[in-house]
């Protein structure tokens, strides 16, 4: 008998995922192709940083499938899963598998580096991050270089992520996009998963936004 669909991804996790997709796409549109004013690039960068702070907090206080302790595994477990996956013997998991868990951390770290380095970056002409005036010229040059190089690292990670999703669908007929839209998935042997109250996400997002806003205000003020 077919298993009933269960909630795998809570609403805050899904909203975070798609909001991050939109923000990154719009930031590339403004930074790479000048399709949007650079003022938008700054504000979307601040919003992205607030989302990253929220996701880190949600990784400790969110629903079980969104917590780092639930999907971050050691190298031995990851290696065993990779070998089993290569031979088609991997076990189905409710949330992120051991490989997917580390890809989540890597993506979050890469986006965080991009957001933070942007605060210190400058084009030596008209555009400068809010913290550029608070550090040395050498530090600004270094952070600008990081910001420029890391965008390509982020692009590579995005391509790998999309490719992995497509391969899951093509080779295993496993749709990973749908659960990230409606949150539900059929998993054998699992009847239900726990979802924490939505108010907790609202509080954490508010705290994250206030923290980033205070940081930006402080960085933008004259020393």
């Amino acid at each position: 008998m077919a298993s009933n669909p269960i909630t795998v991804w809570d609403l805050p996790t899904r909203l975070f995922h798609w909001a991050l997709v939109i923000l990154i796409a719009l930031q590339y549109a403004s930074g790479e192709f000048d399709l949007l004013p650079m003022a938008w690039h700054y504000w979307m960068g601040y919003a992205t940083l607030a989302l990253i702070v929220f996701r880190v907090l949600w990784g400790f206080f969110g629903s079980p499938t969104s917590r780092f302790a639930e999907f971050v595994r050691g190298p031995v477990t990851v290696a065993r899963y990779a070998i089993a996956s290569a031979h088609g013997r991997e076990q189905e998991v409710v949330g992120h598998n051991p490989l997917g868990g580390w890809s989540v951390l890597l993506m979050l770290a890469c986006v965080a580096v991009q957001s933070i380095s942007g605060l210190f970056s400058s084009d030596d002409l008209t555009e400068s991050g809010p913290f550029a005036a608070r550090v040395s010229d050498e530090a600004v040059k270094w952070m600008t270089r990081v910001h420029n190089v890391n965008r390509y690292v982020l692009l590579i990670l995005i391509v790998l992520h999309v490719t992995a999703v497509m391969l899951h669908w093509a080779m295993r007929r496993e749709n990973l996009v749908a659960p990230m839209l409606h949150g539900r998935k059929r998993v054998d042997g699992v009847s239900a998963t726990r979802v924490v109250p939505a108010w907790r996400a609202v509080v954490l997002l508010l705290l994250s936004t206030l923290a980033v806003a205070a940081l930006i205000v402080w960085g933008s003020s004259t020393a």
Side-chain angles (χ1 to χ4, degrees), residues 1 5 46 75 77 106 125 133 148 157 159-161 177:
M1 184 175 63
Y46 305 152
T77 301
L106 188 59
L125 294 172
N148 290 334
L157 291 178
V159 170
L160 290 175
H161 176 70
V177 176

Side-chain angles (χ1 to χ4, degrees), residues 91-208:
Q91 293 182 338
E92 188 176 17
V93 296
V94 176
H96 294 297
N97 61 54
L99 280 175
W102 279 100
S103 69
V104 169
L105 290 186
L106 188 59
M107 184 73 76
L108 289 177
C110 189
V111 176
V113 168
Q114 193 67 8
S115 299
I116 294 172
S117 62
L119 300 176
F120 299 87
S121 298
S122 173
D123 65 357
D124 292 327
L125 294 172
T126 59
E127 305 295 342
S128 295
F131 285 12
R134 288 187 171 270
V135 296
S136 66
D137 291 342
E138 189 62 31
V140 170
K141 290 179 181 179
W142 188 81
M143 293 299 278
T144 302
R145 190 177 303 117
V146 170
H147 195 68
N148 290 334
V149 173
N150 190 66
R151 59 181 173 174
Y152 297 114
V153 177
L154 181 56
L155 272 178
I156 292 172
L157 291 178
I158 291 172
V159 170
L160 290 175
H161 176 70
V162 174
T163 300
V165 170
M166 294 176 64
L167 286 176
H168 268 81
W169 182 85
M171 300 177 65
R172 304 176 186 177
R173 293 296 182 231
E174 183 180 2
N175 188 339
L176 299 180
V177 176
M180 194 53 72
L181 290 171
H182 52 63
R184 300 179 70 78
K185 176 182 176 182
R186 295 182 183 275
V187 182
D188 295 334
V190 180
S191 56
T193 56
R194 186 171 66 88
V195 177
V196 302
W199 63 261
R200 187 181 301 182
V202 174
V203 171
L204 292 177
L205 180 59
L206 180 60
L207 291 175
S208 302

